[in-house]
Amino acid sequence: MGSNKIIDLELQGAGSKLGLEIWCIENLRLVSVPQSSHGKFFSGSAYLILHTTLLKNGSLQHDIHYWLGNEANEVDSTLASDKALELDAALGSQSVQYKEVQGQETGKFLSYFKPCIIPVEGVYYSGVVQSKDPTYETRLLTCKGDRVVHVKEVAFSRSSLNHRDVFILDTASKIFHFSGCNSSIQERAKALEVVQYIKEYKHKGNCEVAAIEDGKFVGDAEVGEFWSYFGGYAPIPKDPPSTQEQPQSLAIKLFWISLQGKFTQSGSGRLKRSMLESNKCYMLDGDTQIFVWMGKTTHLTERKTSISAAEDFLRAQERPVNTHLAFLTEGSETAIFKSYFDDWPRTVAPKLYEEGRGKVAAMFKQTGYDVAELPDEDDKSYIDCNGTLKVWRVNNGKLSPVPVVEQRKLYSGDCYTVQYIYSSNGREERLFYIWLGNKSCTEDRDDAISLTSGIVDSTKGEPVLARIVENKEPSQFFLIFQTLIMFKGGMGSRYKSFITEKGIHDDTYDDKKTALFKIQGTNRDNMQAIQVDQVSRSLNSSFCYILKARGSIFTWLGNLSTTRDHDLLYGMLDLLNPTWQPILVREGSEPDVFWDALGGKTEYPKEKDIKPFIEDPHLFVCTFTKDTNDLKVKEIFNFTQDDLTTEDVLVLDSYSEIFVWIGHNSAVKSKQQALSIGLAFLKKDFLGECLSMDTPTYVVSEGHEPPFFTRFFEWDASKANMLGNSFERKLAILKGQSQKLEAPLRSSPNVFTKETNPNGFRRPSPTPNGFRRPSPTPNGSRKPSPAPNGLTRRQSLDSYPIKSKSDTFSSPDFNTTKNRRFSSPPVPRIIPSASSPDVRNADKTQSLPSKDSGSKYDGLNQSKVNLVNYPYERVKVNSKDPVPDLDITKREAYLTEEEFEEKFGMPKRAFYQQPRWKQNKMKMSLYLF
């Protein structure tokens, strides 16, 4: 940017710590707002807000907002806008700026101050302590919104009440929650969060709460008490019919903004990226959202002129008050902005995952440790991987059980149903995968989804269902197989018929054919052999390969492969062909016979295989119209478990996989319909992530969330087990009666058989309150089964009991599954070097327990055991004076309570209640991880 303007002193150093930083305009200058006053906004003032987060790729993301109170003067408002631009410049001109108007704030802004902000009258003065009036002022508030709530104080009068909104009457001794009869359940539930907030912060927890329903007459004491504040009961007039016409969607327009603030239209409709020039500023009119795009070579004065012109444009056009205005610098465009352009580049910039891991490893080594293997979050198992596995192949519209000795073999031309039963919290849980081979036919794919969805819908216990496609398998899939070989070709009759009709050569693997296998995995309990085209371009220097050709076995070691890769190679060699003596070949010393078997030597990838970072997760609430296949989504920012409302369907997008979460009281009742929502989400690609349609898609039912889903939240299992709608649940929690709505502890799920379920795929009958009954507890004893063929895991031969016309799908009692010996996932090896202290015999009480899948642990209490406090400068990774004998896995625990809160912006107890991935992100930003 062509300006060397000095940055305001108050903004110097801004954005260097995570979380919120807030300033207010006071006497024409910026003053910092203390953390104790965050969330308290005065309607006569203008504020500048900076929110900083650490992305998983290691970079900081800054979002800038300037908030204008309804009574703020024009000078302060303009100054807040200018300071937002200065702050953006100080941060490298890579942030997005949002204009926030009191009462019309964006969802992202309100998510910083959950559950709400309640602006107060007056002007902010720094250093002035507000005197408390001894008399409590009774207030009437209205709450609008089912995801983020806008709270507004209205006149304390009966005429303020209506049937469409939710109101809160806040009195000295009691808070009344009044639900208009036309308000939604979600709005009522959201308003209860505001009630809880007022109770805790205004009444210090010392007041009663009453819920009043619109239309409920004075037969209840609390109803009578509520109406007494309005002079007695009287009917609320019927809401007048809405006279506001549905606004017509305007055509998208792009304007160039001159240095004098004049507009020249430069495009409309579907736009082209080439319309934007780096030395100019533009306004994109998206109807309900206005963007000002500022080229990277424009000056600060040009940008200020453009922003001022855009605000004047909105006033002149008399746009609705809820029209939002955002400012983008070239290079920081949002997904919504990019969606208006037909040809916006959709390439994902590579992020050096391995380079970042290498830096971390180097930091460990500086402290005296040799890191043999750093833990990889993607390869971590969140469930027990020693459960019971059962595999079926789709064959002519039926599911045929695959023999145990063949269950570790999948063919690219076929589709499979995989059922996995594992133990979690003392009960059995079921996980179903639909695996679609790349060369499988459409009929088999459709049958796989239909048949498996039917099985899952007829199974008690609400199993998790996942759709995965060959070469896009999630790590959890490989972990439950432990050993897997994927062959070319297929065994199904439809595949055989297809290649015969098309005259295609059948390349299904057999012992007589030349075959090349790529070896991958992390250890002997997680290794795969993938058959690839037997040509030299299939090789990659980062991997090891097995080539079977002309009566010989070659093992090829890439120059960039590791000793771990070599160990996997030898493990797979024993399974593919344990009798033949292999010929070891290192990259660069291949004999001619090796290249002859691959059709000659050609170029192949020789660079380090770089793994992309997994992006931060995003949560969306979805509305799906089945008739038109139209999917509408709305992102929920800074999401928590409370955003999973039982009336809704939500999609959690973690980039590498997506989860479709189905609430008990949502309109979606089948897993197949939920899968359709997931595929529609992938097709829309709302974040512009270049998501593949083959991205693994899970369907998760409320109350049966698996640990690999709950890891994205600070999870409270008791909330997941509650009955009732979202309003009833939150009211019970607020009144301390949550146990009355808790569902009985679920036991091991049973499957309907023909005898117990004569109508086939019928769901469990509901109880009188509309909820499914919990499954009965099985009482049969089980014995462990022997491991076939020397495999380290044991797999069940039992068939799935279900009513089916297929003779190949037998139906004995499935609950004769075998108990297994469960083990914990392997711990990364940190090997002390010769100069490092011997920590192997350290007091075990000093180690934080590994976080159980999806559960909390009291890391605060553990961190206090036998730990001496040290200053931050001595415990950080790059310390010049490091503390010897430090437990490098919990550097943050050595900080004092005061310094911890200064660095992290929260007390230790709050930190250790965060999901592990959030803890690690914060530690990374402070060089403590």
Side-chain angles (χ1 to χ4, degrees):
M1 184 174 65
S3 175
N4 294 320
K5 181 177 176 64
I6 298 175
I7 303 300
D8 192 305
L9 290 177
E10 276 291 336
L11 299 179
Q12 292 183 6
S16 59
K17 63 180 182 179
L18 301 182
L20 282 172
E21 296 174 78
I22 302 179
W23 301 266
C24 184
I25 305 295
E26 182 183 1
N27 297 326
L28 300 181
R29 63 184 182 89
L30 277 183
V31 294
S32 179
V33 176
Q35 188 172 355
S36 59
S37 296
H38 285 188
K40 185 176 183 180
F41 292 88
F42 288 85
S43 59
S45 296
Y47 293 79
L48 179 63
I49 299 95
L50 171 64
H51 185 248
T52 303
T53 55
L54 177 68
L55 303 180
K56 282 193 174 182
N57 61 21
S59 62
L60 294 175
Q61 176 177 294
H62 304 289
D63 289 294
I64 299 173
H65 307 256
Y66 62 96
W67 186 89
L68 309 179
N70 288 336
E71 305 299 326
N73 62 56
E74 186 175 348
V75 175
D76 286 354
S77 300
T78 301
L79 186 57
S81 174
D82 292 345
K83 292 301 179 181
L85 270 177
E86 286 185 30
L87 179 57
D88 176 50
L91 296 172
S93 298
Q94 288 298 312
S95 57
V96 181
Q97 303 161 60
Y98 302 89
K99 179 182 179 181
E100 308 286 352
V101 178
Q102 180 180 341
Q104 303 297 330
E105 296 88 354
T106 62
K108 172 172 278 196
F109 177 80
L110 291 177
S111 72
Y112 307 147
F113 308 100
K114 289 186 176 182
C116 64
I117 61 171
I118 306 178
V120 295
E121 292 184 358
V123 178
Y124 175 81
Y125 291 105
S126 59
V128 177
V129 179
Q130 299 291 326
S131 59
K132 293 186 178 180
D133 194 326
T135 60
Y136 193 89
E137 181 184 359
T138 299
R139 300 183 301 165
L140 183 63
L141 307 171
T142 180
C143 301
K144 297 176 182 287
D146 55 2
R147 285 295 159 188
V148 291
V149 58
H150 292 86
V151 182
K152 179 183 178 181
E153 185 172 354
V154 294
F156 181 21
S157 167
R158 185 200 311 274
S159 61
S160 297
L161 301 176
N162 60 55
H163 297 293
R164 63 182 176 272
D165 293 325
V166 182
F167 294 85
I168 295 174
L169 178 61
D170 179 20
T171 73
S173 59
K174 185 177 287 189
I175 304 174
F176 295 90
H177 175 287
F178 177 85
S179 302
C181 60
N182 294 328
S183 61
S184 69
I185 291 175
Q186 293 96 320
E187 285 180 309
R188 300 177 187 187
K190 210 67 186 173
L192 278 178
E193 295 181 14
V194 181
V195 171
Q196 177 72 32
Y197 171 80
I198 294 174
K199 178 181 178 180
E200 290 180 0
Y201 292 94
K202 296 292 185 182
H203 296 267
K204 307 302 180 185
N206 298 319
C207 73
E208 297 181 28
V209 174
I212 309 299
E213 294 182 23
D214 183 11
K216 191 172 183 179
F217 299 102
V218 188
D220 183 280
E222 289 183 331
V223 174
E225 185 180 359
F226 171 79
W227 286 111
S228 69
Y229 284 94
F230 297 93
Y233 173 78
I236 300 174
K238 185 178 180 180
D239 290 338
S242 177
T243 57
Q244 183 178 1
E245 296 183 2
Q246 190 70 19
Q248 294 184 350
S249 182
L250 302 177
I252 305 302
K253 295 180 181 179
L254 182 69
F255 298 90
W256 165 54
I257 307 175
S258 69
L259 295 176
Q260 293 75 35
K262 304 296 182 181
F263 291 91
T264 303
Q265 184 170 330
S266 55
S268 63
R270 298 306 301 175
L271 307 174
K272 301 293 183 183
R273 173 63 180 87
S274 58
M275 295 177 177
L276 302 175
E277 299 179 30
S278 297
N279 61 344
K280 295 180 179 179
C281 294
Y282 298 84
M283 186 187 78
L284 191 155
D285 184 358
D287 193 8
T288 59
Q289 176 96 49
I290 304 293
F291 296 92
V292 174
W293 184 90
M294 301 169 287
K296 58 186 177 183
T297 61
T298 54
H299 293 258
L300 188 63
T301 52
E302 294 178 67
R303 299 181 182 187
K304 288 182 178 180
T305 299
S306 299
I307 291 174
S308 177
E311 292 176 333
D312 292 341
F313 174 86
L314 285 180
R315 285 190 289 268
Q317 292 279 317
E318 297 184 348
R319 291 292 178 89
V321 292
N322 61 348
T323 302
H324 290 134
L325 187 58
F327 313 107
L328 313 166
T329 307
E330 183 177 0
S332 64
E333 296 86 358
T334 63
I336 296 177
F337 179 83
K338 294 177 185 177
S339 68
Y340 291 110
F341 294 80
D342 278 336
D343 59 346
W344 198 279
R346 297 179 62 82
T347 55
V348 179
K351 295 163 184 172
L352 300 183
Y353 179 85
E354 292 297 337
E355 180 182 335
R357 286 166 62 84
K359 290 179 179 178
V360 175
M363 291 177 182
F364 274 115
K365 196 165 186 178
Q366 287 178 1
T367 63
Y369 292 90
D370 289 333
V371 182
E373 181 180 345
L374 282 173
D376 193 323
E377 185 177 348
D378 297 340
D379 296 325
K380 177 183 177 182
S381 175
Y382 293 92
I383 62 175
D384 194 310
C385 291
N386 293 292
T388 303
L389 187 68
K390 177 64 182 173
V391 181
W392 293 269
R393 180 184 294 112
V394 177
N395 196 17
N396 273 339
K398 302 174 183 178
L399 294 181
S400 302
V402 176
V404 170
V405 293
E406 298 294 320
Q407 284 187 168
R408 66 178 184 270
K409 301 175 182 178
L410 302 180
Y411 289 82
S412 184
D414 295 330
C415 296
Y416 296 84
T417 293
V418 177
Q419 179 192 239
Y420 182 66
I421 304 176
Y422 63 97
S423 176
S424 177
N425 297 323
R427 63 174 181 264
E428 286 184 349
E429 298 287 0
R430 282 174 167 81
L431 169 60
F432 282 85
Y433 286 103
I434 303 169
W435 188 87
L436 308 177
N438 281 334
K439 300 297 182 181
S440 60
C441 60
T442 303
E443 293 86 349
D444 278 351
R445 291 187 170 214
D446 292 341
D447 285 344
I449 294 174
S450 176
L451 291 171
T452 310
S453 299
I455 293 172
V456 174
D457 286 337
S458 68
T459 303
K460 284 186 177 180
E462 297 288 357
V464 175
L465 176 64
R467 172 192 178 273
I468 59 176
V469 180
E470 183 182 5
N471 295 331
K472 286 287 186 177
E473 296 87 355
S475 59
Q476 190 67 63
F477 181 78
F478 290 140
L479 287 166
I480 66 172
F481 270 91
Q482 298 186 2
T483 301
L484 185 60
I485 305 173
M486 287 191 261
F487 293 107
K488 284 179 168 293
M491 306 298 288
S493 58
R494 280 180 176 155
Y495 174 78
K496 299 294 186 185
S497 299
F498 175 78
I499 61 174
T500 300
E501 292 174 4
K502 300 295 183 180
I504 301 173
H505 172 69
D506 187 359
D507 58 358
T508 303
Y509 174 82
D510 63 46
D511 290 340
K512 298 179 182 179
K513 294 181 179 178
T514 298
L516 179 65
F517 294 90
K518 174 186 174 182
I519 310 302
Q520 63 182 33
T522 57
N523 53 58
R524 290 289 185 106
D525 290 328
N526 175 21
M527 58 182 183
Q528 303 87 44
I530 316 295
Q531 187 178 359
V532 295
D533 295 337
Q534 51 266 21
V535 292
S536 57
R537 66 174 178 272
S538 296
L539 299 175
N540 186 309
S541 297
S542 297
F543 295 93
C544 296
Y545 292 79
I546 296 175
L547 174 63
K548 185 177 177 228
R550 301 176 185 176
S552 299
I553 292 281
F554 295 92
T555 57
W556 187 85
L557 278 60
N559 286 336
L560 298 178
S561 61
T562 65
T563 53
R564 182 186 70 178
D565 298 324
H566 304 164
D567 182 57
L568 297 178
L569 175 71
Y570 300 134
M572 269 300 179
L573 192 62
D574 293 339
L575 294 174
L576 284 171
N577 201 317
T579 57
W580 291 10
Q581 181 65 30
I583 302 172
L584 177 63
V585 175
R586 292 189 177 274
E587 183 178 5
S589 60
E590 301 87 350
D592 291 340
V593 65
F594 177 85
W595 294 119
D596 290 344
L598 296 179
K601 183 177 181 180
T602 59
E603 289 299 316
Y604 58 86
K606 296 181 180 180
E607 296 79 20
K608 179 68 175 176
D609 189 58
I610 297 178
K611 208 174 174 185
F613 271 102
I614 300 301
E615 301 294 335
D616 286 58
H618 297 262
L619 185 67
F620 300 85
V621 62
C622 301
T623 304
F624 184 70
T625 305
K626 188 175 181 181
D627 296 336
T628 60
N629 287 330
D630 183 36
L631 179 67
K632 295 181 180 179
V633 304
K634 186 175 183 180
E635 184 169 3
I636 301 173
F637 299 98
N638 297 305
F639 61 85
T640 66
Q641 181 184 355
D642 289 336
D643 290 309
L644 301 175
T645 46
T646 185
E647 295 81 17
D648 294 314
V649 176
L650 297 101
V651 171
L652 178 67
D653 176 9
S654 69
Y655 184 72
S656 60
E657 50 198 8
I658 68 168
F659 300 83
V660 182
W661 183 89
I662 309 299
H664 273 315
N665 296 323
S666 72
V668 174
K669 300 303 179 185
S670 74
K671 296 294 192 296
Q672 190 163 354
Q673 184 182 357
L675 278 179
S676 299
I677 293 175
L679 292 175
F681 181 89
L682 292 175
K683 186 176 181 179
K684 292 279 188 178
D685 193 15
F686 295 97
L687 294 177
E689 301 171 292
C690 301
L691 288 175
S692 167
M693 291 300 293
D694 296 339
T695 300
T697 303
Y698 292 85
V699 177
V700 176
S701 298
E702 181 185 6
H704 295 261
E705 295 87 351
F708 50 86
F709 173 82
T710 60
R711 67 189 174 102
F712 294 104
F713 300 83
E714 180 186 335
W715 196 257
D716 183 347
S718 64
K719 291 182 179 179
N721 287 327
M722 292 186 69
L723 302 177
N725 61 41
S726 54
F727 171 73
E728 293 167 340
R729 297 180 189 187
K730 289 185 178 179
L731 183 61
I733 293 173
L734 187 57
K735 291 193 171 187
Q737 301 171 350
S738 58
Q739 69 278 3
K740 293 183 179 181
L741 288 182
E742 286 183 8
L745 184 64
R746 298 189 310 273
S747 54
S748 300
N750 293 321
V751 182
F752 289 109
T753 61
K754 184 175 182 180
E755 290 74 26
T756 60
N757 187 27
N759 294 327
F761 295 147
R762 188 174 63 191
R763 298 175 67 83
S765 59
T767 58
N769 62 6
F771 293 93
R772 290 181 291 279
R773 295 183 176 91
S775 309
T777 304
N779 52 18
S781 61
R782 302 181 177 92
K783 298 179 181 179
S785 58
N789 292 351
L791 293 178
T792 56
R793 70 178 297 108
R794 290 165 288 178
Q795 298 168 307
S796 171
L797 278 169
D798 299 330
S799 296
Y800 197 89
I802 189 170
K803 182 179 179 182
S804 174
K805 297 179 181 179
S806 169
D807 296 332
T808 60
F809 207 153
S810 55
S811 56
D813 182 9
F814 193 79
N815 283 318
T816 58
T817 53
K818 312 296 186 286
N819 273 347
R820 303 200 176 263
R821 183 178 179 185
F822 301 103
S823 61
S824 301
V827 179
R829 292 175 291 140
I830 301 181
I831 305 173
S833 65
S835 59
S836 68
D838 187 356
V839 297
R840 291 169 294 179
N841 297 322
D843 188 348
K844 293 180 181 179
T845 60
Q846 292 191 17
S847 298
L848 281 171
S850 60
K851 186 176 182 182
D852 191 16
S853 299
S855 64
K856 300 178 187 176
Y857 68 92
D858 193 353
L860 177 62
N861 292 337
Q862 291 291 337
S863 68
K864 288 183 177 180
V865 179
N866 297 333
L867 288 183
V868 179
N869 291 135
Y870 292 106
Y872 168 74
E873 292 299 329
R874 296 198 65 195
V875 299
K876 64 181 183 178
V877 173
N878 55 352
S879 174
K880 296 180 180 179
D881 181 24
V883 177
D885 301 341
L886 194 72
D887 185 341
I888 61 174
T889 65
K890 52 173 185 173
R891 296 174 182 272
E892 76 290 348
Y894 291 91
L895 300 177
T896 63
E897 289 285 351
E898 294 75 15
E899 191 169 21
F900 187 98
E901 188 160 357
E902 176 189 344
K903 296 296 182 183
F904 286 89
M906 64 179 69
K908 286 185 179 180
R909 183 172 297 278
F911 172 79
Y912 286 118
Q913 289 176 344
Q914 299 290 318
R916 179 61 62 87
W917 65 274
K918 283 190 177 181
Q919 293 181 28
N920 291 342
K921 282 177 59 175
M922 287 187 275
K923 288 163 67 173
M924 284 176 61
S925 69
L926 294 169
Y927 299 98
L928 294 172
F929 180 77

